[in-house]
């Protein structure tokens, strides 16, 4: 029953989104405005009653038309793509000049690869793999953001100070005069141990992302070199794109697995007032 209720809620929300779009259509607005003007001009409610009938029919028919739903879905997809592009451009503006240079150079390489493919193979259309280069470029931008934020975290860490605090907590627990004090200090010991473990995870993730960024850059350079020597589109199909895609997916999965550790560090930096080390603090 719970699953059925949830399914019905999803259907209702799905349908209501199309209904909301139908209400906002210019044709609906101007149609209602026309009837309102007619009612004011004739001093009669008949145009308003007719408008109500037409509106009910309009709201019943239009949101359920497959063609209209496809139009709404296409608009929503375009809106999300535009928002995604805007957010990524804003993110790139927050990068250092050196980071922006790396992003711009990779974007230039992407365009150069696509142009050279058509030039040297004589093909009019790009294969799907080359269209996906834009996604790989976006992956580079996103991973670069993760890399720089996590590297900043590492720079903010005084590992030796935490080790010293851990040693002090150990001694305090051993020399505690009562059980309550001992338990408090042992809790502190465990927290400090977890902090050190999170530092190690963070360090490993930074090295992983750094390697992945280099892989993307090297792959673009490799493609740029290979396409210049190609004479037919068939040879292009032999190039391995899947390995890079799988590697990026693995990296993102690993980053998700370490997000708890980074979240703990974010909380710590927020408490300490290190706001410049928090995500999107520069945007």
């Amino acid at each position: 029953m719970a699953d059925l209720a949830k399914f019905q809620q999803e259907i209702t929300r799905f349908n209501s989104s199309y209904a909301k779009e139908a209400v906002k259509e210019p044709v609906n607005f101007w149609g209602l405005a026309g009837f309102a003007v007619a009612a004011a001009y004739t001093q009669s409610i008949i145009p308003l009653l007719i408008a109500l009938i037409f509106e009910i029919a309009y709201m019943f028919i239009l949101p359920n038309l497959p063609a209209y739903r496809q139009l709404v879905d296409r608009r929503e997809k375009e809106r999300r793509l535009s928002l995604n592009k805007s957010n990524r451009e804003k993110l790139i503006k927050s990068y250092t000049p050196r980071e922006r240079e790396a992003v711009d150079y990779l974007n230039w390489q992407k365009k150069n690869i696509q142009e050279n493919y058509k030039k040297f193979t004589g093909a009019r259309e790009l294969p799907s793999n080359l269209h996906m280069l834009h996604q790989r470029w976006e992956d580079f931008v996103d991973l670069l953001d993760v890399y720089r934020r996590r590297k900043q975290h590492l720079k903010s860490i005084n590992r030796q100070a935490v080790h010293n605090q851990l040693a002090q907590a150990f001694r305090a627990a051993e020399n505690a005069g009562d059980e309550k004090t001992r338990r408090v200090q042992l809790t502190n010991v465990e927290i400090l141990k977890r902090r050190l473990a999170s530092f190690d995870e963070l360090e490993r993730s930074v090295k992983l992302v750094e390697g992945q960024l280099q892989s993307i850059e090297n792959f673009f350079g490799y493609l740029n070199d290979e396409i210049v020597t190609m004479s037919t589109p068939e040879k292009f199909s032999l190039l391995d794109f899947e390995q890079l895609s799988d590697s990026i997916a693995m990296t993102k999965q690993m980053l998700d697995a370490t997000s708890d550790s980074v979240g703990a560090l974010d909380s710590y930096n927020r408490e300490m007032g290190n706001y410049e080390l928090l995500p999107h603090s520069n945007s």
Side-chain angles (χ1 to χ4, degrees):
M1 290 296 291
D3 291 339
L4 179 60
K6 184 177 180 180
F7 178 74
Q8 289 175 337
Q9 288 177 354
E10 290 296 325
I11 292 295
T12 302
R13 185 166 57 186
F14 181 74
N15 290 331
S16 65
S17 64
Y18 294 110
K20 289 177 182 177
E21 289 299 315
V23 169
K24 294 186 290 184
E25 292 293 343
V27 65
N28 184 50
F29 172 79
W30 289 113
L32 292 175
F35 281 111
V37 170
Y41 181 77
T42 61
Q43 297 293 307
S44 170
I45 65 168
I46 293 177
L48 296 180
L49 294 175
I50 296 174
L52 179 61
I53 294 171
F54 273 101
E55 184 67 10
I56 292 173
Y58 170 85
M59 292 303 299
F60 180 76
I61 296 172
L62 187 65
N64 292 298
L65 290 177
Y68 181 72
R69 293 194 169 200
Q70 290 175 3
L71 174 64
V72 172
D73 291 341
R74 187 164 62 250
R75 285 177 183 169
E76 178 62 17
K77 183 179 179 181
E78 290 173 354
R79 186 192 68 81
R80 291 183 179 181
L81 287 174
S82 178
L83 180 62
N84 184 46
K85 181 180 179 182
S86 175
N87 289 339
R88 189 164 278 104
E89 288 175 350
K90 189 183 297 184
L91 177 64
I92 293 172
K93 287 180 181 178
S94 72
Y95 287 176
T96 64
R98 186 175 180 180
E99 290 166 344
R100 286 198 299 271
E101 183 180 354
V103 169
D104 291 340
Y105 179 70
L106 203 67
N107 192 37
W108 173 83
Q109 274 196 316
K110 177 197 70 176
K111 294 177 181 177
N112 198 46
I113 290 167
Q114 293 172 339
E115 290 173 359
N116 282 339
Y117 176 83
K118 291 182 178 180
K119 177 181 178 181
F120 291 107
T121 64
R124 293 184 177 181
E125 298 295 330
L126 293 174
S128 58
N129 284 340
L130 279 189
H131 282 297
M132 289 301 294
L133 281 183
H134 184 73
Q135 179 61 52
R136 301 289 78 84
W137 175 79
E138 289 185 343
D139 289 333
F140 181 86
V141 174
D142 295 340
L143 288 172
L144 182 58
D145 180 49
V146 173
Y147 172 75
R148 70 194 190 108
R149 285 195 290 107
R150 295 198 175 195
K151 197 167 184 179
Q152 284 177 335
H153 272 307
L154 284 177
K155 289 180 179 179
S156 72
I157 292 169
N158 188 337
R159 191 186 292 264
Q160 187 57 50
V162 178
H163 274 292
N164 293 340
Q165 291 175 12
L166 181 59
Q168 291 173 4
F170 264 124
R171 288 195 296 269
E174 291 174 352
N175 300 325
D178 56 81
E179 183 61 23
K180 185 179 291 185
T181 302
R182 180 175 174 276
R183 288 173 61 184
V184 169
Q185 291 300 332
L186 287 177
T187 299
N188 193 27
V189 166
E190 291 304 315
I191 292 173
L192 290 168
K193 283 182 178 179
R194 287 199 295 270
R195 281 198 69 193
L196 289 174
S198 69
F199 295 164
D200 293 336
E201 284 189 19
L202 184 61
E203 198 166 43
R204 284 194 295 269
S205 72
V206 166
K207 291 179 180 178
L208 178 68
V209 176
E210 184 176 20
Q212 188 62 75
L213 290 170
Q214 291 173 352
S215 293
I216 296 174
E217 288 178 315
N218 291 333
F219 185 75
F220 273 56
Y222 162 70
L223 280 184
N224 200 35
D225 295 339
E226 286 294 310
I227 284 180
V228 173
T229 64
M230 286 185 181
S231 56
T232 62
E234 288 73 20
K235 291 184 178 180
F236 180 79
S237 63
L238 300 176
L239 299 180
D240 188 5
F241 283 76
E242 292 301 321
Q243 186 176 10
L244 179 64
S245 300
D246 292 343
S247 177
I248 292 173
M250 181 198 69
T251 299
K252 289 182 176 180
Q253 186 176 8
M254 187 271 188
L255 292 175
D256 288 339
T258 60
S259 60
D260 289 342
S261 298
V262 177
L265 287 172
D266 283 339
S267 298
Y268 174 76
N269 280 317
R270 192 173 287 108
E271 291 174 5
M272 298 301 295
N274 300 326
Y275 299 112
E276 72 280 0
L277 300 177
L278 296 174
H280 309 303
S281 59
N282 297 324
S283 59

